[in-house]
PDB file of all heavy atoms in Angstrom:
ATOM      1  N   PHE A 293     -40.294 -38.642  -2.420  1.00 88.00           N
ATOM      2  CA  PHE A 293     -40.063 -40.106  -2.429  1.00 88.00           C
ATOM      3  C   PHE A 293     -39.103 -40.512  -1.328  1.00 88.00           C
ATOM      4  O   PHE A 293     -38.500 -41.594  -1.373  1.00 88.00           O
ATOM      5  CB  PHE A 293     -39.561 -40.525  -3.799  1.00 88.00           C
ATOM      6  CG  PHE A 293     -40.628 -40.421  -4.888  1.00 88.00           C
ATOM      7  CD1 PHE A 293     -40.752 -39.244  -5.583  1.00 88.00           C
ATOM      8  CD2 PHE A 293     -41.469 -41.492  -5.168  1.00 88.00           C
ATOM      9  CE1 PHE A 293     -41.745 -39.089  -6.539  1.00 88.00           C
ATOM     10  CE2 PHE A 293     -42.441 -41.358  -6.143  1.00 88.00           C
ATOM     11  CZ  PHE A 293     -42.612 -40.151  -6.796  1.00 88.00           C
ATOM     12  N   ALA A 294     -38.883 -39.646  -0.335  1.00 80.00           N
ATOM     13  CA  ALA A 294     -37.906 -39.955   0.746  1.00 80.00           C
ATOM     14  C   ALA A 294     -38.631 -40.540   1.903  1.00 80.00           C
ATOM     15  O   ALA A 294     -39.671 -40.022   2.383  1.00 80.00           O
ATOM     16  CB  ALA A 294     -37.204 -38.652   1.162  1.00 80.00           C
ATOM     17  N   HIS A 295     -38.140 -41.672   2.386  1.00 71.00           N
ATOM     18  CA  HIS A 295     -38.795 -42.322   3.557  1.00 71.00           C
ATOM     19  C   HIS A 295     -37.904 -42.167   4.766  1.00 71.00           C
ATOM     20  O   HIS A 295     -36.755 -42.557   4.768  1.00 71.00           O
ATOM     21  CB  HIS A 295     -38.982 -43.822   3.311  1.00 71.00           C
ATOM     22  CG  HIS A 295     -39.914 -44.045   2.161  1.00 71.00           C
ATOM     23  ND1 HIS A 295     -41.261 -44.046   2.306  1.00 71.00           N
ATOM     24  CD2 HIS A 295     -39.667 -44.246   0.852  1.00 71.00           C
ATOM     25  CE1 HIS A 295     -41.859 -44.220   1.137  1.00 71.00           C
ATOM     26  NE2 HIS A 295     -40.917 -44.348   0.242  1.00 71.00           N
ATOM     27  N   GLU A 296     -38.420 -41.484   5.823  1.00 68.00           N
ATOM     28  CA  GLU A 296     -37.631 -41.214   6.959  1.00 68.00           C
ATOM     29  C   GLU A 296     -37.806 -42.280   8.085  1.00 68.00           C
ATOM     30  O   GLU A 296     -36.863 -42.750   8.649  1.00 68.00           O
ATOM     31  CB  GLU A 296     -38.041 -39.813   7.480  1.00 68.00           C
ATOM     32  CG  GLU A 296     -37.333 -39.330   8.697  1.00 68.00           C
ATOM     33  CD  GLU A 296     -35.828 -39.087   8.513  1.00 68.00           C
ATOM     34  OE1 GLU A 296     -35.403 -38.945   7.364  1.00 68.00           O
ATOM     35  OE2 GLU A 296     -35.127 -39.098   9.525  1.00 68.00           O
ATOM     36  N   SER A 297     -39.063 -42.653   8.225  1.00 71.00           N
ATOM     37  CA  SER A 297     -39.311 -43.578   9.365  1.00 71.00           C
ATOM     38  C   SER A 297     -38.744 -44.959   9.072  1.00 71.00           C
ATOM     39  O   SER A 297     -38.827 -45.445   7.939  1.00 71.00           O
ATOM     40  CB  SER A 297     -40.772 -43.626   9.683  1.00 71.00           C
ATOM     41  OG  SER A 297     -41.282 -44.927   9.425  1.00 71.00           O
ATOM     42  N   GLN A 301     -39.033 -47.405   5.815  1.00 73.00           N
ATOM     43  CA  GLN A 301     -37.879 -47.830   5.052  1.00 73.00           C
ATOM     44  C   GLN A 301     -37.795 -49.331   4.926  1.00 73.00           C
ATOM     45  O   GLN A 301     -37.571 -49.906   3.886  1.00 73.00           O
ATOM     46  CB  GLN A 301     -36.546 -47.281   5.679  1.00 73.00           C
ATOM     47  CG  GLN A 301     -36.366 -45.794   5.525  1.00 73.00           C
ATOM     48  CD  GLN A 301     -35.236 -45.276   6.337  1.00 73.00           C
ATOM     49  OE1 GLN A 301     -34.650 -45.986   7.158  1.00 73.00           O
ATOM     50  NE2 GLN A 301     -34.920 -44.005   6.120  1.00 73.00           N
ATOM     51  N   VAL A 304     -40.404 -50.571   2.478  1.00 76.00           N
ATOM     52  CA  VAL A 304     -40.077 -50.312   1.067  1.00 76.00           C
ATOM     53  C   VAL A 304     -38.976 -51.245   0.611  1.00 76.00           C
ATOM     54  O   VAL A 304     -39.015 -51.736  -0.535  1.00 76.00           O
ATOM     55  CB  VAL A 304     -39.669 -48.822   0.893  1.00 76.00           C
ATOM     56  CG1 VAL A 304     -39.078 -48.590  -0.493  1.00 76.00           C
ATOM     57  CG2 VAL A 304     -40.897 -47.929   1.059  1.00 76.00           C
ATOM     58  N   TYR A 311     -45.247 -48.814   0.748  1.00 81.00           N
ATOM     59  CA  TYR A 311     -45.405 -47.398   1.040  1.00 81.00           C
ATOM     60  C   TYR A 311     -45.272 -46.457  -0.171  1.00 81.00           C
ATOM     61  O   TYR A 311     -45.270 -45.275  -0.032  1.00 81.00           O
ATOM     62  CB  TYR A 311     -44.409 -46.951   2.125  1.00 81.00           C
ATOM     63  CG  TYR A 311     -44.748 -47.486   3.509  1.00 81.00           C
ATOM     64  CD1 TYR A 311     -44.086 -48.592   4.020  1.00 81.00           C
ATOM     65  CD2 TYR A 311     -45.794 -46.868   4.211  1.00 81.00           C
ATOM     66  CE1 TYR A 311     -44.436 -49.077   5.251  1.00 81.00           C
ATOM     67  CE2 TYR A 311     -46.171 -47.373   5.461  1.00 81.00           C
ATOM     68  CZ  TYR A 311     -45.487 -48.497   5.980  1.00 81.00           C
ATOM     69  OH  TYR A 311     -45.783 -48.975   7.189  1.00 81.00           O
ATOM     70  N   GLU A 312     -45.081 -47.059  -1.328  1.00 85.00           N
ATOM     71  CA  GLU A 312     -44.909 -46.176  -2.533  1.00 85.00           C
ATOM     72  C   GLU A 312     -45.997 -46.500  -3.574  1.00 85.00           C
ATOM     73  O   GLU A 312     -46.112 -47.653  -4.024  1.00 85.00           O
ATOM     74  CB  GLU A 312     -43.538 -46.334  -3.150  1.00 85.00           C
ATOM     75  CG  GLU A 312     -42.515 -45.457  -2.546  1.00 85.00           C
ATOM     76  CD  GLU A 312     -41.141 -45.471  -3.217  1.00 85.00           C
ATOM     77  OE1 GLU A 312     -41.052 -46.040  -4.336  1.00 85.00           O
ATOM     78  OE2 GLU A 312     -40.204 -44.947  -2.621  1.00 85.00           O
TER      79      GLU A 312
END
Side-chain angles (χ1 to χ4, degrees):
F293 291 88
H295 296 277
E296 178 66 19
S297 114
Q301 286 172 353
V304 169
Y311 288 101
E312 272 186 11

